[in-house]
């Protein structure tokens, strides 16, 4: 089971993780939480109705990682649109973003928090041991799957990975390349994600 998720009887998934792997995943999840930022409820409002109707941002984030995590909803798949079409796309994207980004951020935040909490519980339960077997419920498995995807998108954005051809190049990076640790994390998380997908498929 090392490094690969396996199904649990009755649903869910399990994977054996050593202390270093636990530390890496937890650290990445915490960094993702910091990048996404606090939710509206954490910011100020005590009024649940105000929070419900709160509008999000209308402009795309300036950080390239956040732009990857929260892309524009309306993009011409055929390439560069004409000026009028581009303006319409920006307007539609801004409107869509205004009413959806807060919820999207909350969902990504919840998924990353689930990763941190399950790893913290695992560390507490296995104190004094080197590594442990992480057992996830079906709901936690789905949260982990979404969080692993977000982590790979974030790292892939930092590595400027746009397609599979870029991924192939990563395998040929020399060991002295400063991006190597991030590349190894990216590839390792991809393997974890793929095994979890396989585990959860009916």
């Amino acid at each position: 089971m090392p490094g690969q998720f396996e199904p649990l009887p009755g649903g869910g998934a399990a994977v054996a993780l050593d202390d270093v792997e636990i530390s890496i995943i937890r650290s990445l999840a915490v960094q993702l939480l910091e990048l996404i930022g606090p939710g509206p409820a954490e910011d100020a409002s005590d009024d649940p109705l105000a929070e419900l109707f709160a509008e999000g941002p209308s402009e795309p984030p300036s950080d390239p990682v956040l732009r990857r995590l929260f892309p524009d909803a309306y993009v011409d798949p055929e390439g560069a649109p004409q000026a009028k079409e581009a303006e319409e796309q920006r307007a539609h994207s801004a409107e869509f973003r205004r009413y959806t980004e807060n919820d999207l951020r909350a969902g990504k935040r919840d998924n990353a928090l689930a990763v941190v909490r399950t790893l913290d519980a695992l560390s507490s339960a296995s104190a004094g041991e080197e590594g442990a077997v992480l057992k996830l419920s079906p709901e936690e498995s789905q949260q982990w799957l979404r969080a692993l995807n977000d982590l790979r998108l974030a790292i892939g954005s930092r590595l400027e990975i746009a397609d599979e051809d870029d991924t192939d190049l990563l395998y040929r990076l020399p060991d002295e390349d400063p991006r190597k640790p991030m590349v190894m994390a990216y590839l390792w998380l991809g393997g974890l994600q793929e095994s979890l997908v396989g585990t959860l498929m009916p």
Side-chain angles (χ1 to χ4, degrees):
M1 193 192 304
Q4 297 289 315
F5 277 97
E6 293 184 2
L8 287 174
V15 63
L17 298 170
D18 63 31
D19 289 344
V20 173
E21 292 169 332
I22 292 170
S23 176
I24 290 171
I25 297 173
R26 189 187 187 284
S27 175
L28 290 171
V30 168
Q31 290 177 54
L32 182 64
L33 283 167
E34 291 171 350
L35 184 65
I36 292 171
E42 297 168 65
D43 282 341
S45 177
D46 294 325
D47 182 356
L49 284 178
E51 183 182 335
L52 181 65
F53 293 106
E55 292 185 5
S58 59
E59 294 297 321
S62 58
D63 188 297
V65 173
L66 289 175
R67 280 202 305 272
R68 188 83 171 265
L69 291 172
F70 305 101
D72 279 334
Y74 296 89
V75 179
D76 189 346
E78 300 299 322
Q82 299 296 320
K84 183 180 178 183
E85 293 173 346
E87 186 60 36
E88 288 176 354
Q89 286 177 11
R90 280 193 291 272
H92 292 317
S93 290
E95 189 75 2
F96 187 83
R97 185 181 295 279
R98 185 176 296 120
Y99 294 109
T100 61
E101 187 166 312
N102 283 346
D103 286 342
L104 290 173
R105 282 181 182 257
K108 292 182 185 298
R109 193 179 301 112
D110 288 346
N111 295 331
L113 276 171
V115 169
V116 172
R117 287 171 179 153
T118 52
L119 290 177
D120 285 350
L122 180 67
S123 297
S124 299
S126 61
E129 301 175 17
E130 291 188 9
V133 176
L134 175 70
K135 296 180 179 179
L136 302 173
S137 69
E139 181 182 356
E140 290 170 337
S141 298
Q142 292 293 337
Q143 289 178 304
W144 262 73
L145 188 59
R146 292 189 289 267
L148 286 172
N149 186 62
D150 287 341
L151 289 174
R152 291 193 78 237
L153 284 174
I155 296 173
S157 179
R158 291 288 187 236
L159 292 171
E160 298 182 348
I161 297 170
D163 54 39
E164 282 304 311
D165 291 340
D166 294 335
T167 303
D168 293 340
L169 293 173
L170 298 180
Y171 289 99
R172 298 194 289 273
L173 279 181
D175 290 341
E176 59 271 16
D177 192 300
R179 296 171 294 171
K180 192 73 173 185
M182 198 183 300
V183 167
M184 297 304 293
Y186 177 82
L187 297 174
W188 172 57
L189 291 174
L192 270 182
Q193 183 183 17
E194 188 176 341
S195 71
L196 185 52
V197 169
T199 297
L200 298 177
M201 287 179 67

